[in-house]
Amino acid sequence: MTASTFSKRERMVSQRLIDTLFQGEGSRSLAAFPVRAVYRKEPRQQGDAPVQLLISVPKKRFRHAVDRNRVKRQIREAYRLNKGLLYERMPDGECLLLAFVWLSDRHLPSEAVRERVVSLLKRLGERL
């Protein structure tokens, strides 16, 4: 069982990894409107978390930072509480680069966001 935390190791902060995920070949995508998951499997490096996550809420969708931050907080919390669905299916020696991208210009209740994120995590777990 994984801890219900979201540590610095689990955040995708390297520009090289972000470029690899979005511009490299081999990336795949799943959608559960209004959230899209873009993912790619990579060999795991020493000290890396099994899953590295990036959350993107485009300024085009929400002009005010407070609105973007609210959506990111909802996605982060839903992932934190349900990441065990993904961690239990991760093969040893592999790392998953995962990005959640918000597609809508409307807010959703936290419960609805949680349902979409759980749906994506389950579907992604089946594909690993």
Side-chain angles (χ1 to χ4, degrees), residues 61-76:
R61 303 292 180 205
F62 292 109
R63 295 198 53 197
H64 297 91
V66 66
D67 294 324
R68 292 191 302 273
N69 291 340
R70 175 183 175 207
V71 172
K72 287 189 277 190
R73 192 168 39 251
Q74 287 175 313
I75 294 172
R76 193 177 316 120

Side-chain angles (χ1 to χ4, degrees), residues 87-101:
Y87 272 62
E88 64 191 22
R89 293 181 177 244
M90 279 301 298
D92 291 335
E94 291 203 356
C95 175
L96 184 70
L97 304 179
L98 176 63
F100 286 127
V101 181

Side-chain angles (χ1 to χ4, degrees), residues 4 6 8-9 13 23 31 34 36-37 43-44 46 48 51 54 90-93 97 101 103 117:
S4 291
F6 187 57
K8 177 73 172 173
R9 299 179 42 217
V13 293
Q23 296 173 355
R36 182 177 74 153
R44 191 168 169 187
Q46 181 70 24
D48 280 350
V51 179
L54 172 75
M90 279 301 298
D92 291 335
L97 304 179
V101 181
L103 301 174
V117 170

